[in-house]
Every structure is written in structure tokens, then in C-alpha cells.
Amino acid sequence: MRLYNTLTKKTEEFIPNNKNEITMYTCGPTVYHYAHIGNLRSYIFEDILEKLLNYIGYPVKRAMNITDVGHLSSDSDSGEDKMLKGAKRENKSVLEIAEFYTNEFFKNLDDLNIKKPEIISKATDNIDEYIKMIEVLLEKDYAYIANGNVYFDIHKLKDYYQLTNHKIDEMVVGVREGVEEDSNKRSQADFVLWFTKSKFDDQELKWPSPWGLGYPGWHIECSAISIKYLGEYLDIHCGGVDNIFPHHTNEIAQSEAYLGHKWCNFWCHGEHLNDKTGKMSKSKGEFLTLDVLKEKGYDPMIYRLFCLNSHYRKTLLFSYEIMDDVKKTYEKIKRKIHQINNNKTGNIRKEEIKNYQIRFKEQLENDLNTANALTVLYEVIKTEELNNLEKITLIEEFDQILSLNLVEKEKKDIDLEMKQYIENMILKRSQAKQDKNYELADQIRNELLEKNITLIDTKDSTKYEIE
Ligand code: AMP
Ligand code: ZN
């Protein structure tokens, strides 16, 4: 498999540390608001990557954080705490906000058929890990204390900017929402590992630490969670392009300084989704969520297909016109697949389907070319070379990665079987009642109840309801 690696700026053959377990870390959401559909584009790309790795035979161990503390308005540790901002906005506690938006985020993942990472860890559940890591960084002299805060000294590293290729002085710290100078830092490019003093003293969540009551910086969360769950050598780390600097740059700095060796070989970044006004961002106030799309009549699968139509490393412009085109395409292919599925005939000829399997895989293995992989899917639907059984077999296989709900579950057959079973049970029960064997009659009712089937006795017959 070939993947573009932000670290080397090349598309390279992916070689894992251990073929029997690929370790993958993907930065999770800051749960102070709903995810916007731009955020969700990044999670779709990561989902495709994980599923492709599985498809080509690699077991993946993947971890993701939920940021519920430490992420300030600017990614470079200045400005107001995002969680606090959310809590104030809604007049709730930080933890209430975190719980609510974490659940909303999970609903989005479910709606979009995005597989949840095997390990999901809240930032607030790993405070001891951050403290341990910061203590080591202080011992090794990579970190320093100034006015109550602990900072990472980026000048202690030769290649702090290895991910971005920037020279130290060229880089402005920070960048998303304005920069504020922090006079405690030795250099403005240094970043915070632990805060005990911030301009915003009403920080709700604080923990005791060797440096006083405080809270962790945002960047340390991902390094510590990744090392805790995935070990000292990480295969792939992903995120959106805005994470490259400063977040991932800082993750590399503190992880490698702590571990004393190279940490992660492959860094993959998804480009942004923009709207007509520019980058989609929550700080702008209004932003598009998946629920808004649903309310407007777009199945989440249409948004997933909208994303898969373009390459993850290209900026994608959102528009309802394109969504409408995608909707038409999606409905058309679903109709065709439905017809194919209802007329399955023939035998599977392995050699015939192999050609399509290879081509589909080749496209995805070429730096996740989902658009070309979709073209192979459309060819399968159209071709006269394959019979319907072969087509459905391929479509189901491709959908393990695409996850577009292409083939409806075989409701018809299941329903028929279920219907016969229930009717049979109803017959047995009425016989039991006639025989005054009420124990058996109750037993039958309970057996059905366990399967969420409720019997309703009317004057002349018994009806049923399935939950
Ligand atoms: P956040 O919740 O802001 O920490 O972001 C969650 C994920 O979404 C990160 O991987 C970001 O890099 C990514 N992201 C943020 N904005 C966009 C966007 N407009 N398009 C695509 N991904 C984004
Ligand atoms: Zn992260």
C-alpha cells in the first residue's frame, strides 16, 4: 500500500513495525460543540484507511482521544478554554457539555458508518500519564517552569520543524485564531505542557500536580494517550491538515524527547472541507452539522459519498448543488443494486471477479484513491461480463470499505422466515390453550417476548407486534 507521508513529503510504500498489529492514532474531537461536516470529512478518511488496512490483511489497533480539557481557542495555548466557552454558552458544567457532545459525536459516527476506534480515551482520564511524561521531560531538560506553568523548550531539539519543513524564525506560533504573546516563555514558539496560571482563572477542571493545581496542555494529551495504549512505536498518525502545526509538530517533539527515539513513521493528513466563505470552522459561529443535512433530506450516506468522490488530500468545496447531484447518483446506484440483488443468478467464477477485486484494491492502495475505486464499483454494476451473484458478491465486498449501505440487508427472506416462525408459535399456543395447557401457552408467549415479539389476543385471533 502506498500512502502520502507528511513527514517525508512523499508517497511511500507503507511498511509497518509489526505486520500482526498496525498501530494507528487519530486525533479526536474537542467536545465543546457539535462536530461540523468538515471535521467529519477527516473521520471518514481515517475510517477508509483503517478499513483498507483490514481489507488487505492487517489487524489494526487504533486509539483516539476525546479532548475535554486543555484545548484553548488558539491551538498555540492562548485564548479562552474551548470547553469553558461551551459551558458558558449553554449554562452547564464542562463535564455536562463534554458528555453531551461526545454522545452527539458518536451518533454522527454511527450515522456515517464510521467504525469507532477500538480505544477511545478521554483527556481527563489520563492526568497521571501527562504528569509522568512532563516529569521526565523536566528531568531530561526539555522542559522548564516559568511563572507556574511548564513549557517545552523547542530550541532543545534540532529538528522541531521536521513535519512542516519550516525554519524556526519563519513560523508564527499558532494560528487558528490570533496569537497572544506569553511573556513567561523563553521563546514564543515554546508550548505549554501544564498550566497552573492562565489568564482565565475560572478554569473549572484542575488537578494537583508537582507544579501546583492546574491542567494539561492540549498537545500532551495525544502523545500520552497514544504511548499508553499503542506503545513506543506508532505506525500511523492521522488528523486534518490544521493539525500539522502546531499540534502534531508538538506531539512529535514531546514524544520523541520523552522516548529518546523516533516515534511514528507515517503521518497522514486530510485536507479541509471549505464552504463558499472559506474554511469551515466552529469559531465563526454558524457551521454545518450532519443533523442539518439530515433535516434537509440528505441521507448521511450521501455526505459520505460526497467525500469519497474526491481525494482526501484535495480541498473540497461544499455546495448543495453538488450534494443534489450526489444524491441522484446514490439513489440511482441503490436502485440498480436492488434490482441486481433481487435477481441473483449464476455461480461465482473466482477468476472473473478477481480482476475487479484487484483493480478496486489497487486504487485504494494508491494513496486512498476513493474516486477511482468508486469507478470500479460503477463498472461492476454496469458490466455484462458478470452475473448478478458475482456482482452482489463484489459490491458487498467493496462496501466493507466504502460503507455506503449499498446492499440492503435481505429483509425479505428474514421476514418470511420470521413470519412463519411466529405464526407457527401462535398456532401451537392456541392449541395449548384449547388443551388447557396454560403453562405451555405462557411459555410460548415468553419465548416470543424474549425476541421482542409481543402477542396481542383479540376476540377472534392473535396478532403480534415486533419491536
Ligand atoms: P477539532 O474538534 O477542532 O479538534 O477537530 C477534529 C478534527 O477535524 C481534526 O482532525 C481536525 O484537523 C479536523 N478538521 C477541522 N476543521 C476541518 C475542516 N474544515 N475540514 C476537514 N477537517 C477538519
Ligand atoms: Zn491530537
Side-chain angles (χ1 to χ4, degrees):
M1 180 177 71
R2 292 175 66 73
L3 265 184
Y4 182 82
N5 187 351
T6 313
L7 195 59
T8 56
K9 315 277 175 294
K10 281 191 225 130
T11 304
E12 298 178 326
E13 191 59 34
F14 170 68
I15 302 163
N17 289 306
N18 171 6
K19 278 198 288 206
N20 298 322
E21 187 177 78
I22 311 283
T23 50
M24 178 173 176
Y25 188 86
T26 52
C27 291
T30 307
V31 282
Y32 72 114
H33 218 319
Y34 293 103
H36 60 57
I37 56 170
N39 301 133
L40 297 172
R41 181 186 187 202
S42 291
Y43 299 110
I44 291 173
F45 126 68
E46 292 159 357
D47 184 56
I48 293 280
L49 176 56
E50 180 180 359
K51 287 174 178 164
L52 174 65
L53 287 164
N54 285 153
Y55 183 71
I56 58 184
Y58 293 127
V60 178
K61 189 169 179 192
R62 176 174 163 199
M64 183 174 83
N65 60 304
I66 299 284
T67 298
D68 51 2
V69 69
H71 195 171
L72 305 192
S73 292
S74 152
D75 286 356
S76 60
D77 321 317
S78 62
E80 197 176 1
D81 183 289
K82 288 192 178 192
M83 293 304 300
L84 211 57
K85 209 163 132 181
K88 279 187 194 157
R89 188 186 61 231
E90 296 181 24
N91 231 345
K92 292 195 180 130
S93 74
V94 162
L95 289 180
E96 279 167 345
I97 287 286
E99 194 187 339
F100 178 80
Y101 288 111
T102 302
N103 288 334
E104 289 302 305
F105 172 67
F106 289 158
K107 280 190 214 159
N108 287 164
L109 297 188
D110 280 348
D111 276 346
L112 286 164
N113 284 344
I114 296 170
K115 179 178 171 283
K116 277 207 204 111
E118 182 184 330
I119 300 145
I120 297 181
S121 192
K122 288 195 278 186
T124 46
D125 282 344
N126 296 283
I127 302 295
D128 289 348
E129 268 72 24
Y130 315 140
I131 292 176
K132 192 177 87 190
M133 214 169 149
I134 297 167
E135 279 181 320
V136 173
L137 290 173
L138 279 164
E139 252 167 53
K140 288 187 167 184
D141 206 25
Y142 285 107
Y144 62 93
I145 302 168
N147 194 26
N149 292 341
V150 188
Y151 296 94
F152 189 95
D153 184 345
I154 67 144
H155 286 89
K156 292 278 159 77
L157 294 176
K158 264 203 322 284
D159 46 4
Y160 170 68
Y161 289 105
Q162 54 180 298
L163 199 63
T164 59
N165 266 356
H166 282 78
K167 302 250 170 356
I168 283 194
D169 298 331
E170 281 173 12
M171 210 79 187
V172 189
V173 194
V175 242
R176 267 207 242 190
E177 276 135 88
V179 183
E180 291 165 44
E181 297 252 313
D182 178 346
S183 54
N184 300 320
K185 292 180 180 179
R186 284 180 193 162
S187 146
Q188 277 312 305
D190 292 350
F191 59 92
V192 179
L193 297 166
W194 188 268
F195 289 97
T196 66
K197 292 231 167 52
S198 96
K199 270 171 55 178
F200 299 93
D201 278 334
D202 50 353
Q203 172 69 19
E204 226 178 88
L205 302 173
K206 288 186 184 178
W207 294 264
S209 79
W211 318 287
L213 200 65
Y215 61 102
W218 172 43
H219 315 295
I220 194 84
E221 297 174 2
C222 289
S223 291
I225 291 173
S226 176
I227 293 167
K228 175 176 172 185
Y229 290 103
L230 304 175
E232 289 191 10
Y233 295 91
L234 182 64
D235 287 311
I236 309 179
H237 196 311
C238 304
V241 282
D242 58 306
N243 284 160
I244 298 174
F245 184 83
H247 185 48
H248 289 169
T249 299
N250 292 349
E251 279 192 44
I252 295 177
Q254 65 208 359
S255 299
E256 297 193 349
Y258 168 76
L259 294 168
H261 59 71
K262 184 165 181 183
W263 175 43
C264 175
N265 290 329
F266 263 86
W267 287 83
C268 302
H269 294 98
E271 254 300 341
H272 276 169
L273 175 86
N274 292 342
D275 58 21
K276 281 185 197 125
T277 63
K279 197 190 109 179
M280 203 161 284
S281 138
K282 285 175 221 176
S283 58
K284 283 193 199 161
E286 280 206 5
F287 55 89
L288 255 182
T289 62
L290 192 65
D291 284 346
V292 171
L293 293 187
K294 280 165 70 179
E295 278 158 25
K296 287 184 186 285
Y298 300 99
D299 183 318
M301 291 299 101
I302 295 164
Y303 181 63
R304 188 168 169 114
L305 182 59
F306 171 90
C307 292
L308 300 188
N309 275 339
S310 78
H311 194 260
Y312 76 96
R313 284 196 298 115
K314 287 210 178 104
T315 309
L316 180 58
L317 189 68
F318 179 84
S319 83
Y320 283 109
E321 293 77 42
I322 305 176
M323 280 291 282
D324 287 336
D325 288 343
V326 177
K327 187 174 178 180
K328 277 188 208 134
T329 310
Y330 184 67
E331 285 167 357
K332 198 165 119 195
I333 59 170
K334 284 275 291 194
R335 264 197 313 274
K336 288 194 173 155
I337 292 169
H338 184 75
Q339 282 164 3
I340 296 170
N341 199 25
N342 278 348
N343 297 290
K344 277 182 294 200
T345 46
N347 296 316
I348 294 175
R349 296 162 297 166
K350 284 199 174 145
E351 280 309 306
E352 299 295 321
I353 64 170
K354 203 167 166 190
N355 166 33
Y356 292 93
Q357 283 164 323
I358 291 171
R359 284 174 44 222
F360 178 77
K361 190 159 101 93
E362 264 172 10
Q363 293 305 338
L364 290 175
E365 282 181 324
N366 178 19
D367 196 24
L368 304 185
N369 196 330
T370 47
N372 283 357
L374 284 166
T375 308
V376 181
L377 168 77
Y378 300 148
E379 277 178 42
V380 167
I381 295 173
K382 226 165 119 186
T383 183
E384 291 181 0
E385 276 175 23
L386 298 170
N387 65 45
N388 282 353
L389 185 63
E390 288 163 337
K391 286 185 180 198
I392 284 296
T393 306
L394 282 169
I395 295 166
E396 274 177 339
E397 186 175 316
F398 296 172
D399 211 27
Q400 284 170 26
I401 301 175
L402 301 174
S403 305
L404 289 166
N405 291 347
L406 294 175
V407 186
E408 292 297 337
K409 303 233 164 53
E410 295 209 9
K411 268 196 206 138
K412 248 174 76 185
D413 293 350
I414 296 164
D415 283 355
L416 191 67
E417 212 176 284
M418 184 60 99
K419 213 171 144 203
Q420 278 170 352
Y421 160 77
I422 300 169
E423 279 167 6
N424 208 5
M425 293 296 267
I426 291 175
L427 267 179
K428 268 199 202 165
R429 180 167 165 269
S430 67
Q431 188 59 51
K433 283 211 288 193
Q434 269 180 31
D435 299 344
K436 301 212 174 353
N437 187 350
Y438 297 113
E439 202 179 320
L440 179 61
D442 284 348
Q443 217 177 312
I444 292 170
R445 176 190 279 279
N446 291 339
E447 189 179 320
L448 288 170
L449 255 183
E450 272 171 32
K451 295 187 167 73
N452 294 329
I453 303 159
T454 313
L455 296 183
I456 305 151
D457 292 317
T458 64
K459 224 166 85 198
D460 327 295
S461 64
T462 301
K463 295 201 169 105
Y464 61 90
E465 262 175 18
I466 307 175
E467 245 181 62

